[in-house]
Amino acid sequence: MTITGPVALGSQSLPRWIHPGAWWLWALALALAASRTTNPLLLILIVTVAGIVVYRRRPNAPWARSFSFFLALGAVIIVIRVVAQAILGASFGTVLVVDLPSVQLPTFMAGLTLGGPVYLESLLGALYDGMRLATIIACVGAANSLASPTRLLKSVPAALYEVGVAVVVAVSFVPRLVEHVVSTRHTRKLRGRTTRGVRAIAGSAVPVLHGALESSVVLAAAMDSRGYGRRAPVSTMSRRTTSAAVLIGLVCVVIGSYGLLSPGMPAIVAIAFILLGLFGSAAGLWWASKSRTRTVYRPDPWWLPEWLLAASAIGVVVAFIYVGNMFPALLVTSTMPPAIPALPMLCVIALVCAATPGWFTPRPPLHSSTPVVVEVRT
Amino acid sequence: MIHFDDVTFTYAEKSEPTIRRLTLEIPEGELALVVGQTGSGKTTLLRAINGLVPHFTGGTLQGRITIDGRDTATYPPRELADLVGVVPQDPMSSFVTDMVEDELAYGMECLGLAPAVMRRRVEEILDLMGIADLRDRPITTLSGGQRQRVAIGAVLTSHPKVLVLDEPTSALDPGAAEEVLAALQRLVHDLGVTVVMAEHRLERVVQYADRVILVPGGNAPITWGDPAVMMLSTPMAPPVVHLGRLAGWSPLPLSVRDARRSASGLRSLLIGQQPHLRSVRSAPVPVAEIDSLVVRYGQRVALREVSITVDAGTITALMGRNGAGKSSLLNALVGLVPHAAGSVTFHAAAAQDHPSRNVLATVGLVPQEPGDLLEAITVAEECRHADRDAGCAAGTTRALLALLAPEITDTTHPRDLSEGQRLLLALTIMLAARPPLLLLDEPTRGLDYPTKHRLAAILRDLADAGHAVVLATHDVELVAEVADRVIVLADGEVVADGSTTDIVTSSPMFAPQVAKVLAPGPFLTVDQVRTAISEESA
């Protein structure tokens, strides 16, 4: 006799880490969608979708609390954008909101106006523009909360591994530098010296840079003695060929993307460039990876939930590009005259689909131990 | 396993070689202990084993070093990574990843092991080092002992045949040090790993060693041999060895257990004797009063309503495990961390006639990371700065440094000094200012026994001259030698406060070796025993 559960879920839906690449793909798709529209309703919807998924699927880790920071940053950007428009920007329109006292600027700053009448149309334009930027930032914040950048590094192709490590070391260099600045300020205090003024900065610059550099050298020595940089013997010729393939491929991708965004090049040529470039770089990277002896510990799997996540991301991009090409007025809300923003059904459906990962993806694993600084002794 | 064949090594900018004509063989499965003065070249010797010297540091190496048949001249450190595991002095600065499990796997990833092998080895090492409950913790949240065990585990996953450790217990409290040493013992006994370890705290390790390699520094040759033989003559010896020499025991005891078995005669000789303690003024004059002091970092409370009065002319030792709040207390005293509640009052009488017009007139602290204190480009300049800061006569600091560390030269860059020498320089800078209250955070990390004795003498002189000294330390031998009073902190609270004799003899964790050997007698140091014996025979 066999006993079966209500649904055969399999191990794919047990709590586990979702592939960080899938989360970043999803978040970048939302950001791309946001960059194509100034429709405030759609922008709010995108932020809501990102927020729902972050709320439901973020892990219990230090980096996961960054989403609210990114939201706050976005809000600040909107405020700055609108205020700057009101005070500095040339305002056009018919509906006068307020008439600020204007300041006559000297002739060499003729492009700028300070104060003067502020019209609703200009303010709305600035508001939508700020919202778009804030939404893009919120999407990056969502990716950051759902999967830390260091986890993403684990999935980088072996050929790019060194570049990835350099990035991670550079990122960890900054907190180290800050640590050294703090401790040097402290020790200056201990020696009874001032911690303010030019002399203090000059005096502490040497130990700070020394200290940070020294810790980097120590780290480099440790990495070297643990085998970083070992590689299988490869001929110079094949190394150069692979580098050339990757480089040419990336140039093709850049040309193709430019062509896709600018009206000058036929879409089919641009897409051909992109595909050719991607193929070239992929082949180069694959070939280069063969010369590495490096392996990855517990790589994150790419299973059905990851495929669905990627599909929802592609759905959003396709929907926004299609609507944007066919009915541009739906995505770009008119401010001149101010119009009520439309709500294109296709985009809404795609965004609702992009919110479903909050339910269908497996939960992140719980930490078995919460960080405590007490040592247990037996 | 490790062959040094007529090896001479000279750093690029030095004229004298650091290692001179060394021929040495360390066979497989041995635990070799490298002993020597502060800055004598122990670290250089260790780093030569995996090729960091000279591949990473530069310099000229003559002769051949082969590890299991591989010549370090042709194999750079990364190609020896599968054979030699190196745990550097400060594990925190050498972690590559930010999570414990990833750190354990890092070396194996570089070696290109199959995922299934990596998975199995990580689980094995987690159990072997006793860190399975830390596996998904960020490394920054670990205590010192846990970090050290993670660092050892991280090199063990590559299954090296040789393990090289640079002062693995110097930053650890006695309990954590025992954990690390127990783990090392298991490696040598069960897995046959060859271990080469440099350590100053011989009282912790010498009984485990199969061989002692003495690096005397200067131009003297490196010598080695059986620990009991080597310990007969060297000044780098733990108290139990000095006690054995004093009593004339043969063979020389290396552990407390051996010494206790020989000590019955000495114990009966000393019955009824009391050690001479440093006389402390009968009417105490407080220098600083700490009243219900609270220090917190966010949610974590580092000190909970601690009240302590520090008297002039006394030496107080703060003890307790890593993270108990010792450093927080010292930092709060000099105002580096804010007080959440409570107060610190300095009695200014002593500060009135102090030459300097700044914080040094009331209190001076030697921090745990002494390197941050140094900012000049030569030792001489650093000393001149210190004279100016302290407002004392020119040359005071330099003279004091010559007393503490005669081997340090004027033109050396402070960053080129060894860890221990840097600490001595920082100590000297603070000692020269002679603040009424002197605070020392871990003052003996990386210091050899003779230097520790000199430091102890200077601290006693300061106290005799009416200064108050507070030192936070894990070094029970130093505490036994200098402290009049011991305060034990745990979890931010004072759990014990009393005279050194009362506190350390009542706790097996904090008891010095002499006290363990002569228990229940009240003797703590070899000097006390020596005085008592000479009085007995007089």
Side-chain angles (χ1 to χ4, degrees):
Chain A
M1 192 184 86
T2 53
I3 301 171
T4 46
V7 189
L9 285 168
S11 68
Q12 296 195 3
S13 60
L14 290 175
R16 67 175 175 91
W17 297 106
I18 285 284
H19 196 290
W23 278 133
W24 280 84
L25 187 71
W26 170 84
L28 291 180
L30 287 185
L32 187 71
S35 75
R36 310 270 312 183
T37 178
T38 55
N39 183 330
L41 292 182
L42 285 179
L43 289 173
I44 290 173
L45 195 59
I46 292 174
V47 173
T48 313
V49 165
I52 289 173
V53 176
V54 167
Y55 174 74
R56 290 193 57 89
R57 284 298 176 263
R58 74 171 160 199
N60 177 21
W63 70 80
R65 284 166 221 132
S66 57
F67 186 60
S68 49
F69 165 78
F70 281 93
L71 283 185
L73 183 66
V76 170
I77 285 173
I78 295 176
V79 170
I80 291 177
R81 181 74 183 81
V82 171
V83 170
Q85 174 67 39
I87 297 175
L88 290 173
S91 208
F92 304 101
T94 51
V95 188
L96 186 71
V97 179
V98 63
D99 197 355
L100 294 173
S102 119
V103 179
Q104 197 65 44
L105 289 176
T107 44
F108 65 87
M109 294 171 75
L112 276 179
T113 51
L114 207 56
V118 178
Y119 295 100
L120 180 66
E121 288 84 343
S122 295
L123 275 191
L124 272 182
L127 176 69
Y128 295 165
D129 207 37
M131 282 176 75
R132 178 166 66 174
L133 192 53
T135 307
I136 293 172
I137 287 173
C139 292
V140 174
N144 219 348
S145 310
L146 290 164
S148 86
T150 46
R151 283 192 68 76
L152 187 63
L153 177 70
K154 284 185 79 169
S155 320
V156 165
L160 293 181
Y161 176 74
E162 268 89 354
V163 180
V165 169
V167 170
V168 168
V169 170
V171 167
S172 70
F173 180 80
V174 176
R176 271 171 215 229
L177 199 66
V178 172
E179 238 168 66
H180 281 290
V181 169
V182 171
S183 66
T184 309
R185 277 177 64 92
H186 280 176
T187 45
R188 280 187 72 81
K189 237 188 226 173
L190 292 180
R191 289 183 74 167
R193 295 174 179 180
T194 170
T195 52
R196 291 203 181 84
V198 181
R199 277 182 64 97
I201 292 170
S204 53
V206 174
V208 165
L209 291 177
H210 256 308
L213 193 67
E214 202 175 59
S215 50
S216 304
V217 171
V218 170
L219 181 62
M223 287 169 71
D224 201 12
S225 29
R226 287 173 68 187
Y228 172 77
R230 278 166 82 107
R231 57 181 68 201
V234 192
S235 75
T236 322
M237 188 61 205
S238 95
R239 202 163 58 231
R240 285 195 185 139
T241 321
T242 50
S243 318
V246 173
L247 204 64
I248 293 171
L250 289 178
V251 169
C252 287
V253 171
V254 170
I255 294 173
S257 327
Y258 180 78
L260 207 59
L261 295 174
S262 77
M265 192 188 283
I268 187 78
V269 179
I271 289 172
F273 255 113
I274 289 182
L275 288 181
L276 191 75
L278 284 179
F279 177 77
S281 344
L285 288 181
W286 177 80
W287 190 251
S289 301
K290 286 183 74 87
S291 73
R292 299 304 150 114
T293 50
R294 215 189 127 74
T295 49
V296 179
Y297 173 72
R298 291 178 85 174
D300 292 303
W302 189 286
W303 284 338
L304 185 63
E306 279 84 359
W307 284 117
L308 291 177
L309 197 54
S312 76
I314 291 167
V316 170
V317 173
V318 168
F320 272 76
I321 289 182
Y322 175 76
V323 174
N325 282 345
M326 293 295 154
F327 317 99
L330 293 181
L331 290 192
V332 183
T333 303
S334 160
T335 56
M336 196 90 62
I340 293 171
L343 204 56
M345 261 345 264
L346 189 60
C347 294
V348 172
I349 291 169
L351 284 175
V352 168
C353 287
T356 52
W359 282 266
F360 73 72
T361 56
R363 287 168 193 284
L366 270 183
H367 273 262
S368 65
S369 47
T370 39
V372 275
V373 192
V374 190
E375 197 172 339
V376 184
R377 249 200 335 244
T378 47
Chain B
M1 179 57 65
I2 303 171
H3 291 270
F4 279 69
D5 187 11
D6 198 20
V7 171
T8 302
F9 175 73
T10 316
Y11 279 108
E13 62 284 9
K14 295 252 177 80
S15 53
E16 290 286 304
T18 308
I19 300 173
R20 194 188 287 266
R21 309 214 60 174
L22 174 66
T23 301
L24 169 69
E25 190 190 333
I26 300 174
E28 187 172 350
E30 208 175 74
L31 197 160
L33 184 62
V34 181
V35 177
Q37 261 183 32
T38 306
S40 62
K42 296 187 297 299
T43 303
T44 308
L45 181 68
L46 295 187
R47 296 179 116 204
I49 293 175
N50 84 327
L52 277 176
V53 167
H55 285 287
F56 198 82
T57 57
T60 320
L61 186 105
Q62 289 156 311
R64 266 163 62 91
I65 303 172
T66 50
I67 315 295
D68 200 22
R70 287 189 220 172
D71 191 338
T72 61
T74 46
Y75 287 84
R78 54 184 168 275
E79 303 294 339
L80 288 167
D82 56 326
L83 189 62
V84 186
V86 179
V87 183
Q89 217 157 16
D90 173 16
M92 197 54 206
S93 61
S94 62
F95 287 132
V96 184
T97 65
D98 48 3
M99 304 295 274
V100 170
E101 207 177 337
D102 294 338
E103 187 65 29
L104 291 183
Y106 178 78
M108 295 188 290
E109 289 181 330
C110 290
L111 297 180
L113 297 181
V117 176
M118 290 201 272
R119 194 66 208 273
R120 203 186 65 233
R121 282 198 193 167
V122 166
E123 301 302 325
E124 285 167 5
I125 298 296
L126 283 171
D127 284 338
L128 186 70
M129 300 307 295
I131 47 177
D133 52 332
L134 310 176
R135 63 183 309 156
D136 50 8
R137 287 260 298 268
I139 284 169
T140 44
T141 65
L142 303 182
S143 74
Q146 291 169 333
R147 283 175 190 174
Q148 194 76 48
R149 278 182 291 157
V150 170
I152 296 174
V155 300
L156 283 180
T157 47
S158 310
H159 282 198
K161 290 184 177 171
V162 178
L163 187 61
V164 177
L165 303 125
D166 199 351
E167 298 198 27
T169 72
S170 64
L172 303 186
D173 60 70
E178 268 168 34
E179 280 172 34
V180 170
L181 289 170
L184 284 178
Q185 274 284 90
R186 214 178 314 163
L187 292 177
V188 174
H189 282 222
D190 299 352
L191 304 178
V193 177
T194 310
V195 176
V196 184
M197 165 165 54
E199 185 61 72
H200 282 298
R201 303 254 172 107
L202 293 184
E203 65 269 19
R204 288 176 173 176
V205 295
V206 77
Q207 67 263 38
Y208 304 122
D210 300 309
R211 164 201 307 249
V212 167
I213 300 169
L214 183 66
V215 184
N219 287 331
I222 294 174
T223 54
W224 61 90
D226 182 71
V229 176
M230 294 298 288
M231 284 296 128
L232 273 176
S233 55
T234 167
M236 317 287 163
V240 71
V241 167
H242 284 291
L243 190 67
R245 286 192 212 156
L246 179 69
W249 293 328
S250 179
L252 201 58
L254 295 179
S255 67
V256 169
R257 181 166 177 272
D258 295 346
R260 246 196 107 73
R261 289 166 68 194
S262 320
S264 54
L266 184 62
R267 274 200 296 270
S268 54
L269 181 74
L270 293 173
I271 281 176
Q273 293 248 35
Q274 285 297 322
H276 288 275
L277 299 177
R278 217 171 60 81
S279 54
V280 177
R281 251 180 271 181
S282 48
V285 184
V287 171
E289 277 176 76
I290 304 161
D291 188 26
S292 346
L293 183 65
V294 177
V295 170
R296 54 190 296 177
Y297 308 108
Q299 284 298 301
R300 200 167 80 77
V301 181
L303 286 179
R304 289 173 193 275
E305 307 214 330
V306 170
S307 298
I308 296 170
T309 305
V310 183
D311 294 330
T314 60
I315 302 177
T316 307
L318 290 177
M319 302 192 77
R321 66 176 76 92
N322 293 62
K326 303 187 296 294
S327 298
S328 296
L329 180 56
L330 296 188
N331 287 336
L333 274 174
V334 286
L336 289 186
V337 294
H339 310 163
S343 66
V344 176
T345 320
F346 292 102
H347 293 271
Q352 290 286 313
D353 50 348
H354 197 275
S356 68
R357 287 277 145 264
N358 50 40
V359 63
L360 289 172
T362 45
V363 58
L365 166 69
V366 180
Q368 216 163 29
E369 289 299 330
D372 298 328
L373 208 58
L374 312 173
E375 53 187 50
I377 51 167
T378 63
V379 169
E381 196 187 327
E382 199 68 68
C383 290
R384 276 198 299 279
H385 283 317
D387 289 340
R388 212 175 46 226
D389 290 337
C392 51
T396 314
T397 312
R398 188 68 192 95
L400 197 58
L401 183 65
L403 198 68
L404 257 180
E407 75 279 3
I408 298 181
T409 53
D410 266 349
T411 50
T412 318
H413 194 290
R415 295 271 163 188
D416 287 338
L417 297 174
S418 80
E419 196 99 340
Q421 287 171 329
R422 233 183 269 179
L423 178 62
L424 284 178
L425 181 55
L427 260 173
T428 314
I429 289 169
M430 281 300 156
L431 286 173
R434 298 175 75 87
L437 175 60
L438 179 65
L439 312 172
L440 307 165
D441 201 348
E442 284 296 331
T444 59
R445 226 168 35 159
L447 295 192
D448 55 46
Y449 288 106
T451 315
K452 257 198 273 189
H453 278 298
R454 289 200 293 269
L455 172 66
I458 290 174
L459 291 183
R460 274 195 299 263
D461 287 348
L462 265 183
D464 287 341
H467 297 256
V469 179
V470 178
L471 42 104
T473 184
H474 297 309
D475 190 338
V476 292
E477 304 298 338
L478 178 80
V479 170
E481 204 173 328
V482 298
D484 309 307
R485 174 187 178 193
V486 174
I487 296 171
V488 182
L489 291 176
D491 207 10
E493 291 175 58
V494 175
V495 293
D497 182 356
S499 79
T500 306
T501 320
D502 291 346
I503 300 286
V504 300
T505 51
S506 63
S507 146
M509 198 62 97
F510 295 131
Q513 288 194 309
V514 173
K516 284 179 185 164
V517 172
L518 298 180
F523 293 89
L524 301 184
T525 66
V526 180
D527 285 338
Q528 289 172 355
V529 176
R530 184 175 292 124
T531 321
I533 290 176
S534 60
E535 277 175 10
E536 183 74 29
S537 54

